[in-house]
């Protein structure tokens, strides 16, 4: 059982609380578990919620340096919107070298400037205070494990359980994304964990069931320890 303590909360555009939690273990690098970047992707939020509950209640676990942000975009989550309340896609708003104010689709609006949004400012401050060694960002689109930087082995490990395709390229540009920002700024590889979307045959419970064993195994693996020690 890991003991998590609340960190100082962030605040969304509309003033909603953005909660964050950290294990009591101090380390040079932390595993980040992040959900709800896109408020309409409830599947990823649910998977992270189940994983976090397990971390807090499983007595056999060894301590690990972990930071959990259950829902980065509470305004979007409340309204069922991909974007935050400024109509900005938080996953196009990070200050990467390839950030651009130009966009073709409204849902990819990067904001007026890089790191303009309070939700991302909060996360960035956490990154600077608790250095990320590996970031797992839970989303939902179609089942894919998208890896950025040195974590293809992590994606392959998880894929050996859930059989999601592994790719380093989702097929279109993503300027200003966390997948670019993590490696570029913090030398922290990023797994964008894309869950399947709910439909008549796929429930939240089914999505968790197909990911439970792999995620739990990875969090107890030597591979994770190796990533956090690099």
């Amino acid at each position: 059982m890991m003991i998590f303590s609340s960190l100082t909360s962030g605040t969304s555009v509309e003033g909603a609380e953005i909660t964050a939690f950290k294990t009591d273990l101090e380390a040079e690098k932390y595993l980040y578990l992040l959900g709800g970047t896109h408020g309409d992707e409830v599947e990823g939020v649910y998977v992270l919620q189940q994983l976090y509950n397990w971390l807090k209640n499983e007595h056999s676990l060894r301590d690990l340096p972990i930071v959990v942000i259950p829902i980065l975009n509470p305004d979007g989550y409340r309204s069922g919107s991909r974007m935050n309340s400024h109509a900005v896609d938080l996953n196009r708003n990070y200050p990467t070298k390839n950030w651009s104010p130009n966009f073709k689709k409204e849902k990819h609006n990067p904001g007026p400037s890089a790191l303009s949004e309070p939700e991302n400012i909060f996360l960035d401050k956490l990154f600077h205070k608790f250095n990320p060694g590996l970031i797992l960002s839970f989303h939902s689109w179609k089942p894919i494990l998208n890896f950025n930087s040195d974590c293809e082995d992590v994606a392959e490990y998880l894929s050996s359980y859930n059989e999601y395709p592994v790719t380093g390229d989702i097929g279109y540009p993503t300027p200003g994304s966390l997948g670019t920002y993590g490696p570029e700024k913090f030398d922290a590889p990023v797994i964008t964990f894309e869950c399947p979307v709910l439909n008549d045959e796929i429930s939240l419970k089914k999505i968790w069931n197909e990911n439970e064993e792999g995620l739990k195994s990875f969090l107890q693996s030597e591979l994770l320890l190796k990533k956090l020690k690099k």
Side-chain angles (χ1 to χ4, degrees), residues 28-223:
E28 292 185 9
K29 292 185 178 182
Y30 292 81
L31 169 66
Y32 273 75
L33 301 174
L34 174 65
T37 293
H38 295 141
D40 59 347
E41 297 178 1
V42 298
E43 301 87 350
V45 171
Y46 181 82
V47 168
L48 178 52
Q49 285 174 340
Q50 301 310 303
L51 185 61
Y52 183 40
N53 287 339
W54 173 73
L55 288 170
K56 290 186 292 183
N57 293 292
E58 175 54 58
H59 289 269
S60 66
L61 294 175
R62 62 187 169 194
D63 282 339
L64 289 168
I66 300 177
V67 175
V68 179
I69 303 95
I71 302 175
L72 181 65
N73 180 9
D75 296 345
Y77 186 73
R78 184 178 63 254
S79 64
S81 168
R82 172 187 175 91
M83 291 85 78
N84 73 351
S85 288
H86 285 156
V88 171
D89 180 351
L90 297 180
N91 206 30
R92 297 293 184 276
N93 181 245
Y94 293 98
T96 59
K97 293 176 183 177
N98 68 352
W99 183 86
S100 169
N102 303 314
F103 60 100
K104 294 181 179 179
K105 297 180 178 180
E106 288 297 324
K107 68 178 185 177
H108 293 153
N109 176 11
S113 61
L115 209 64
S116 60
E117 304 310 298
E119 298 89 352
N120 281 350
I121 291 171
F122 171 65
L123 181 60
D124 187 60
K125 287 180 178 178
L126 286 180
F127 284 161
H128 279 90
K129 187 170 184 179
F130 306 108
N131 189 37
L134 176 66
I135 302 167
L136 264 62
S137 182
F138 291 88
H139 289 255
S140 50
W141 172 41
K142 57 184 178 181
I144 283 179
L145 295 165
N146 174 220
F147 66 91
N148 290 91
S149 192
D150 182 23
C151 60
E152 184 175 3
D153 49 356
V154 175
E156 293 287 358
Y157 185 100
L158 294 168
S159 178
S160 72
Y161 288 89
N162 63 15
E163 299 184 347
Y164 291 4
V166 171
T167 181
D169 184 355
I170 62 170
Y172 55 86
T174 57
S177 70
L178 180 60
T180 301
Y181 187 53
E184 188 176 279
K185 178 69 175 181
F186 299 97
D187 195 27
V190 178
I191 295 284
T192 304
F193 195 113
E194 297 280 1
C195 299
V197 176
L198 291 171
N199 60 37
D200 290 341
E201 298 180 353
I202 299 176
S203 65
L204 290 175
K205 186 176 180 180
K206 183 177 186 297
I207 295 169
W208 169 239
N209 287 344
E210 70 186 19
N211 285 294
E212 179 179 4
E213 185 179 3
L215 286 167
K216 288 181 177 180
S217 177
F218 175 65
L219 287 177
Q220 299 172 88
S221 70
E222 294 302 315
L223 177 58

